[in-house]
């Protein structure tokens, strides 16, 4: 018969008065680390002793117990209790929970001390974060949690910030798939989809350092230290709806502004406001740019201005500041390290005196009317206004006797009446009234406009694919075949998923477009039928519907993965789309458009002032009218100002079926010959029947075109 293995016997626990305990000299801990004795004492006072002391009875020379106990494991707890007794916050006879080891044990007493410290495992940061999160959810502030656990409020904020990471990344970190430093880097942004996208791009890379993760997450943002951000100010940016990313784990110099387009708009608006104010001084032109190019004033004549005179009060203030500056310099001239107050005051005086020296210049009014101003921002975000430059073409012509041709501010119109001088303000590459002749060159469409146009196309294409099960199934099968037989690999089980791509840039009318309304109606109709709360019920429901319904539902789901959006390619790889990927995306969008028979005209898109005509150059407007309504229609409006031209072009193109390039299929052709038969009928006196239209006065043509 087999003998049962002897079970272990655990050491007994008992309460021992504190004055019966002494610290053992066999404790292996010699070096002080981590939490201080004072902090531990405060914790015991708040929560009690959470962990018993490990003790052994002391023996006399004959091997008998003396009634005293030495503490080989738990020395820091013993010293914290000792501190509480010394400060009269605990009685010296207070019973202390102890685990008593046999005094005659064969295990050396040093081993007890080593085992308790060596086998201890630190709390996982995720467990700490979740505990902090629970306390915070119960109403405890960062400061209160920090005080309870004797850490800094910043430490608590950092651990709570781990909640900003995607649950998928938290799971990877928990399974030791990434380091804590890498996880911290992901908390720069709250966008879980972007976090996961960056990790997918880096997880198989040899280099996935935290700084690289932060760079990829913030590559489409603007640092707060950027000159544009300093010029506008963080408060103004946030008040306008912008978001500032902050990194609690690294020095971020103020963070990153997340919406560069909003920042550029605020910069432009502020610079334009300054330009409008300076225009009231009577300058002929004003050039505004965030960063003027090198040599921007080359070949221009600089006006010689006279500094504005100081008033008596300003002179007295300047002298008082100089006297105070001299007094402070004399007082602290021999001191190696200036006091903070004195150093700050000297800086204030220097700034005030510099303002007196850089006071506005006074220019000859006769020169102001032919000269201009440059407005920009310096590297520190300060406004720079550089007045008084004359272009060679604006110099006053010389008469026979050497005198100038006259005051440039006094000109007349075609009827002999004095004209009103208006300043031309150029903001970057855009000019405000009065307009200059743009020439015949057709400039590329603005990038934001292309993105908005392709957002319309994406939504219309989703609607078309959702209504065509055959095309949707073909598109899905194409995706699966490429993944199965191509060179790509996936990490999941099937990895055939629909990632709903959002449209970050869109115009105000997109949500009210026919495609948007049709998609919403179809989506809500399906959502009302599908049992989404129970996975088993969903499977049974899908298994039971007829084939036509299954195909229609599949088409609807596939449609949400359609992305025909133009976006700026990322030349650095990683996040975003490459040029090759963008080209492939747009080619496939054309193929889907052809397969579904998508026509953006039938989808409800029409060129308007808001969505196209008011946001392109006059050359682009005329080109659109030539292609959509014919050359004669373009000639009717080519003399108009841009605003009037855009409004009239909207009327002329309303039923023409004309589309801008981003909305056309490859192979679509627009030209005056193709549209010759569809030109809007002209009035009799402008048509060939009533005589040569070239004899018609410009005033009559303008009146007809602007009706």
């Amino acid at each position: 018969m087999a003998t049962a293995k002897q079970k272990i016997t655990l050491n007994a626990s008992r309460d021992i008065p504190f004055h019966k305990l002494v610290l053992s000299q066999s404790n292996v801990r010699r070096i002080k680390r981590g939490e201080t004795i004072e902090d531990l004492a405060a914790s015991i006072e708040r929560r009690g002793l959470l962990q018993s002391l490990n003790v052994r009875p002391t023996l006399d020379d004959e091997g008998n117990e003396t009634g005293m106990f030495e503490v080989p494991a738990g020395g820091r707890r013993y010293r914290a209790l000792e501190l509480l007794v010394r400060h009269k916050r605990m009685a010296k006879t207070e019973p202390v929970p102890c685990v008593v080891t046999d005094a005659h044990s064969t295990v050396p007493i040093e081993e007890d001390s080593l085992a308790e410290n060596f086998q201890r495992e630190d709390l996982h940061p995720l467990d700490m974060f979740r505990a902090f999160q629970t306390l915070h959810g119960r109403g405890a502030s960062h400061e209160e949690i920090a005080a309870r656990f004797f850490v800094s409020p910043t430490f608590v904020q950092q651990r709570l910030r781990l909640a900003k990471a995607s649950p998928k990344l938290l799971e990877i970190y928990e399974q030791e798939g990434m380091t804590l430093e890498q996880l911290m880097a992901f908390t720069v942004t709250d966008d879980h989809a972007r976090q996961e996208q960056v990790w997918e791009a880096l997880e198989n890379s040899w280099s996935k350092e935290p700084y690289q993760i932060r760079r990829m997450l913030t590559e489409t943002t603007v640092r707060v230290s950027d000159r544009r951000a300093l010029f506008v100010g963080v408060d103004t940016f946030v008040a306008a709806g912008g978001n500032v990313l902050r990194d609690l784990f690294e020095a971020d110099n103020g963070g990153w502004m997340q919406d560069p387009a909003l920042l550029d708009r605020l910069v432009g608006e502020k610079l334009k406001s300054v330009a409008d104010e300076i225009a009231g001084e009577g300058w002929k032109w004003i050039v505004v740019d965030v960063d003027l190019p090198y040599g921007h004033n080359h070949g221009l004549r600089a006006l010689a201005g006279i500094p504005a005179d100081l008033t008596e009060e300003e002179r007295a203030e300047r002298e008082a500041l100089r006297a105070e500056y001299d007094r402070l310099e004399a007082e602290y001239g021999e001191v190696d390290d200036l006091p903070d107050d004195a150093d700050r005051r000297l800086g204030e005086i220097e700034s005030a005196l510099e303002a007196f020296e850089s006071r506005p210049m006074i220019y000859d009014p006769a020169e102001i009317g032919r000269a201009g101003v440059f407005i920009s921002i310096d590297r520190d975000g300060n406004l720079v206004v550089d007045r008084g430059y004359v272009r060679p073409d604006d110099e006053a012509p010389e008469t026979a006797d050497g005198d100038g041709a006259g005051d440039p501010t006094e000109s007349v119109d075609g009827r002999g009446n004095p004209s009103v001088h208006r300043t031309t303000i150029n903001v970057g590459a855009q000019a405000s009234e009065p307009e200059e002749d743009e020439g015949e060159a057709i400039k590329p469409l603005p990038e934001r406009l292309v993105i908005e146009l392709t957002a319309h196309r994406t939504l219309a294409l989703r609607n078309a694919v959702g209504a065509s099960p055959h095309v949707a199934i073909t598109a899905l099968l194409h995706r699966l075949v490429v993944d199965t037989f191509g060179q790509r690999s996936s990490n999941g089980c099937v990895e055939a998923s629909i990632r709903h791509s959002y449209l970050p840039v869109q115009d105000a009318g997109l949500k009210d477009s026919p495609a948007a309304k049709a998609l919403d109606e179809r989506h809500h109709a399906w959502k009302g039928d599908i049992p989404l709360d129970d996975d088993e019920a969903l499977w049974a429901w899908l298994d039971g519907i007829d084939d036509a319904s299954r195909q229609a539902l599949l088409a609807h789901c596939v449609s949400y993965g359609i992305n025909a959006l133009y976006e700026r390619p990322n030349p650095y790889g990683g996040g975003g789309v490459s040029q090759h990927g963008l080209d492939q995306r747009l080619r496939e969008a054309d193929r889907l458009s052809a397969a579904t028979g998508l026509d953006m005209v039938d989808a409800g898109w029409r060129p308007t002032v808001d969505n196209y005509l008011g946001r392109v150059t006059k050359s682009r407007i005329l080109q659109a009218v030539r292609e959509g309504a014919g050359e004669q229609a373009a000639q009717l409006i080519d003399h108009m100002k841009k605003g009037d031209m855009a409004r009239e072009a909207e009327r002329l193109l309303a039923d023409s079926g004309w589309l801008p390039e981003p909305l056309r299929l490859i192979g679509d052709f627009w030209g005056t010959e193709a549209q010759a038969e569809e030109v809007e009928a002209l009035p009799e006196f402008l048509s060939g029947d009533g005589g040569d239209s070239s004899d018609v006065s410009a005033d009559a043509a303008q009146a007809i075109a602007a009706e």
Side-chain angles (χ1 to χ4, degrees):
M1 181 176 179
T3 304
K5 186 176 181 180
Q6 177 64 40
K7 297 181 179 179
I8 63 171
T9 301
L10 299 178
N11 295 330
S13 61
R14 53 185 284 198
D15 292 341
I16 301 174
F18 177 74
H19 69 282
K20 296 288 188 180
L21 303 175
V22 294
L23 189 61
S24 174
Q25 297 304 309
S26 300
N27 194 309
V28 298
R29 186 185 291 275
R30 295 286 188 268
I31 301 172
K32 180 179 178 181
R33 293 183 61 193
E35 187 181 22
T36 65
I37 299 299
E38 291 78 9
D39 290 344
L40 182 56
S43 177
I44 293 174
E45 185 176 17
R46 173 181 171 82
R47 305 177 182 88
L49 188 64
L50 301 180
Q51 185 178 357
S52 302
L53 300 181
N54 188 310
V55 301
R56 284 197 185 196
T58 59
L59 305 177
D60 57 18
D61 294 339
E62 297 178 359
N64 299 317
E65 296 186 7
T66 63
M68 298 294 291
F69 298 85
E70 58 180 334
V71 183
R76 295 182 66 255
R77 279 163 280 157
Y78 174 86
R79 291 193 181 280
L81 294 171
E82 186 180 45
L83 183 63
L84 292 173
V85 171
R86 189 183 313 133
H87 290 170
K88 309 296 184 183
R89 287 183 283 175
M90 188 183 85
K92 64 180 179 180
T93 58
E94 179 72 21
V96 178
C98 299
V99 175
V100 183
T101 303
D102 184 4
H104 302 285
S105 173
T106 57
V107 178
I109 190 171
E110 290 82 4
E111 189 172 323
D112 289 350
S113 176
L114 179 62
E116 180 177 282
N117 288 281
F118 186 73
Q119 295 175 350
R120 178 184 301 166
E121 185 174 351
D122 290 336
L123 190 66
H124 196 283
L126 275 184
D127 293 330
M128 185 184 298
F129 142 65
R130 287 162 180 156
F132 283 172
Q133 192 176 42
T134 300
L135 295 175
H136 190 56
R138 292 176 180 173
S141 66
H142 297 155
E143 291 73 16
E144 291 172 340
I145 297 174
R148 293 177 189 178
F149 294 95
F150 311 101
V151 294
S152 68
T154 301
F155 180 84
V156 176
Q157 287 180 311
Q158 288 175 339
R159 286 296 176 262
L160 289 175
R161 189 63 177 266
L162 294 177
K164 302 295 184 181
S166 159
K168 179 179 179 180
L169 299 188
L170 292 177
E171 183 179 354
I172 293 172
Y173 169 60
E174 186 175 352
Q175 297 174 359
E176 300 183 353
M178 70 171 64
T179 66
L180 177 60
E181 289 72 20
Q182 290 171 331
L183 181 65
M184 289 174 175
F186 280 106
T187 64
V188 169
T189 177
D190 300 343
D191 188 344
H192 289 177
R194 178 64 177 151
Q195 291 174 353
E196 294 171 8
Q197 184 183 36
V198 169
W199 179 249
E200 288 172 3
L202 290 177
E203 64 176 331
N204 296 320
S205 171
W206 64 272
S207 176
K208 42 181 177 282
E209 297 298 323
Y211 77 87
Q212 190 174 3
I213 295 171
R214 290 185 177 91
R215 179 184 61 78
M216 293 180 65
L217 289 172
T218 60
E219 62 188 356
T220 58
T221 62
V222 177
R223 278 198 173 274
V224 171
S225 56
D226 184 273
R227 70 175 72 189
R228 295 168 293 168
L230 294 173
F231 178 63
V232 170
V234 174
D235 293 340
T236 302
F237 178 77
V238 173
N243 183 41
V244 178
L245 303 178
R246 295 302 309 269
D247 189 349
L248 289 181
F249 299 96
E250 295 286 339
D252 59 12
N253 295 320
W256 299 266
M257 290 183 171
Q258 200 171 8
D259 191 341
L262 173 62
L263 176 62
D264 288 337
R265 178 173 67 80
L266 294 175
V267 171
E269 290 174 353
K270 188 173 180 179
L271 286 174
K272 184 62 166 57
S273 175
V274 173
D276 290 338
E277 182 179 347
I278 294 176
E281 301 174 7
W283 301 97
K284 182 175 183 180
W285 53 264
I286 297 176
V287 172
V288 182
D289 207 341
V290 173
D291 189 13
L292 292 169
Y294 175 77
H296 63 276
N297 57 0
H298 178 71
L300 307 184
R301 175 170 66 88
L303 298 183
I306 302 173
D309 291 333
L310 296 177
T311 64
E312 291 299 328
E313 292 78 5
E314 289 173 334
R315 287 195 181 95
E317 182 183 356
R318 183 178 63 177
E319 293 306 317
L321 289 172
R322 286 176 176 173
E324 184 181 0
Y325 189 89
D326 293 340
R327 179 179 59 80
L328 290 173
E329 271 205 329
E331 182 178 353
Y332 297 103
E334 303 299 327
V335 178
D336 293 334
D337 191 10
L338 279 175
D340 291 340
D341 292 342
D343 187 44
R344 182 173 60 255
R345 182 54 185 161
L346 285 171
E348 292 172 353
I349 294 174
E350 288 176 351
S351 298
L353 291 175
E354 184 178 348
F356 280 116
E357 297 302 324
S358 59
R359 60 190 183 278
M361 305 291 286
I362 298 177
Y363 299 96
D364 183 356
E367 295 274 38
I368 289 179
R370 65 168 60 93
V373 181
F374 293 104
I375 300 177
S376 61
I377 306 172
D378 66 16
R379 66 178 61 188
D380 296 321
N382 299 314
L383 180 69
V384 178
V385 179
D386 197 8
R387 293 175 172 86
Y389 290 92
V390 181
R391 294 166 173 165
D393 294 342
D394 295 330
E395 294 286 5
E398 296 294 328
T399 60
D401 58 1
D403 296 332
D407 189 343
T409 63
E410 296 181 358
S411 58
V412 295
D413 61 14
R415 300 177 182 176
N417 300 318
S419 63
V420 179
H421 171 74
R422 301 183 68 183
T423 303
T424 300
I425 301 176
N426 290 276
V427 181
Q430 300 293 328
S432 66
E433 297 289 351
E435 296 182 10
E436 300 290 341
D437 184 11
E438 297 175 355
E440 298 297 326
I442 301 297
K443 298 179 181 179
L445 292 175
E447 180 179 273
R448 183 181 177 88
L449 177 57
V450 175
I451 296 174
E452 290 183 7
L453 292 173
T454 53
H456 274 279
R457 186 190 187 195
T458 297
L459 210 57
L461 193 55
R462 288 179 184 175
N463 185 44
V465 171
S468 178
H470 177 79
V471 174
I473 293 173
T474 303
L476 178 60
L477 185 59
H478 174 268
R479 174 80 278 157
L480 296 177
V481 169
V482 168
D483 289 342
T484 303
F485 300 97
Q487 299 300 317
R488 308 173 190 174
S489 61
S490 58
N491 298 321
C493 177
V494 176
E495 281 290 335
S497 61
I498 294 299
R499 176 179 294 175
H500 188 172
S501 57
Y502 294 90
L503 308 175
V505 177
Q506 53 184 266
D507 62 40
L510 185 64
K511 64 180 182 299
D512 297 322
S513 65
K517 293 178 180 178
L519 274 171
D520 288 342
E521 290 173 1
R522 186 185 300 131
H523 190 76
H524 286 106
W526 278 115
K527 193 172 183 179
D529 295 336
I530 299 175
L532 296 173
D533 297 330
D534 188 339
D535 189 68
E536 292 297 326
L538 174 61
W539 177 272
W541 183 84
L542 290 172
D543 187 57
I545 61 177
D546 57 77
D547 288 345
S549 298
R550 289 159 65 90
Q551 291 184 8
L553 178 58
L554 175 62
H556 177 68
C557 294
V558 170
S559 73
Y560 271 79
I562 300 299
N563 183 4
L565 196 66
Y566 171 87
E567 62 182 281
R568 179 179 297 177
N570 181 5
Y572 305 107
V577 63
S578 65
Q579 183 63 56
H580 174 75
L582 178 63
D583 294 340
Q584 180 67 19
R585 174 192 297 176
L586 298 180
R587 281 195 300 271
E588 291 185 6
D590 279 329
R591 185 170 61 207
L592 281 176
S593 298
T596 58
L598 173 64
D599 186 338
M600 289 302 298
V601 176
D602 294 337
W605 193 91
R606 298 290 186 276
T608 67
V609 173
D610 292 333
N611 69 14
Y612 184 85
L613 298 168
R615 301 170 59 186
V616 296
T617 63
K618 292 174 65 174
S619 299
R620 280 276 182 184
I621 298 174
L622 292 173
Q623 180 193 39
V625 174
R626 286 191 187 97
E627 294 177 349
E631 179 62 30
Q632 288 179 310
Q635 290 177 3
L636 288 176
I637 65 173
D638 62 1
H639 61 283
M640 293 181 176
K641 292 185 176 181
K642 181 178 174 181
D644 296 333
M645 179 186 290
R647 285 187 290 273
E648 185 61 19
E650 178 177 340
R651 185 183 70 84
L652 293 170
L653 294 173
D655 298 318
S656 67
W658 179 87
L659 295 172
E661 294 93 331
L663 299 185
R664 303 175 190 173
L665 287 176
I666 295 176
D668 280 356
F669 172 75
W670 284 91
T672 54
E673 295 180 2
Q675 298 297 316
E677 297 180 359
E678 299 180 13
V679 175
E680 178 176 322
L682 299 176
E684 288 185 2
F685 68 90
L686 290 178
S687 67
D689 297 335
D692 189 354
S693 63
S694 63
D695 295 334
V696 180
S697 68
D699 290 340
Q702 180 175 355
I704 295 299
E707 282 183 351

